[in-house]
């Protein structure tokens, strides 16, 4: 049995959980729903010119995050929380820019390839964004 995986974003865990029974009826091998946490920082409290000053990275300039390793710093800088350049707003927010309806719930599904198209339809009908 060959399997395929699906990653989909939802505005809330509740909305994603509503379609889990439908996916389980398709006999998915695995399904999980996880909340993607925002990257919290202290905020920027000082003015500096990044062209002449030394600073640890983009997440320091935008979020005030300090003390990160190189890997964490790269991932933090790639987040929409640190840089709006990492994804168009229409792909991150479904409506209000304030972030109240942010797509921050990830559904991961492993399904038999014979049921793959049906699973995609269930996710789309349930409000998921592939």
């Amino acid at each position: 049995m060959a399997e395929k995986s699906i990653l989909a974003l939802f505005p809330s865990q509740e909305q994603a959980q509503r379609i889990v029974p439908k996916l389980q009826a398709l006999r998915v091998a695995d399904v999980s729903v996880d909340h993607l946490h925002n990257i919290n920082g202290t905020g920027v409290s000082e003015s500096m010119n990044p062209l002449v000053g030394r600073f640890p990275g983009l997440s320091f300039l935008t979020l005030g995050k300090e003390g990160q390793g190189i890997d964490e710093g790269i991932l933090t800088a790639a987040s929409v929380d640190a840089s709006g350049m990492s994804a168009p707003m229409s792909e991150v927010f479904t409506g209000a820019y304030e972030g109240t309806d942010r797509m921050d719930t990830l559904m991961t599904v492993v399904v038999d390839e014979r049921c793959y198209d049906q699973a995609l339809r269930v996710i789309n009908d349930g409000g998921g964004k592939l």
Side-chain angles (χ1 to χ4, degrees), residues 1 27 30 58 64 67 79 93-94 100 113 126:
M1 162 173 94
R27 294 196 169 100
D30 190 26
L58 176 65
S79 167
F93 299 103
T94 58
T100 55
E113 67 180 1

Side-chain angles (χ1 to χ4, degrees), residues 5 9 13 16 31 52 67 70 73 80 89 94 98 114-116 120:
S5 59
L9 293 172
Q13 286 184 301
V31 61
V52 296
I70 186 72
V80 178
M89 285 294 124
T94 58
E98 298 82 29
R114 294 173 292 181
C115 300
Y116 181 75
L120 289 178

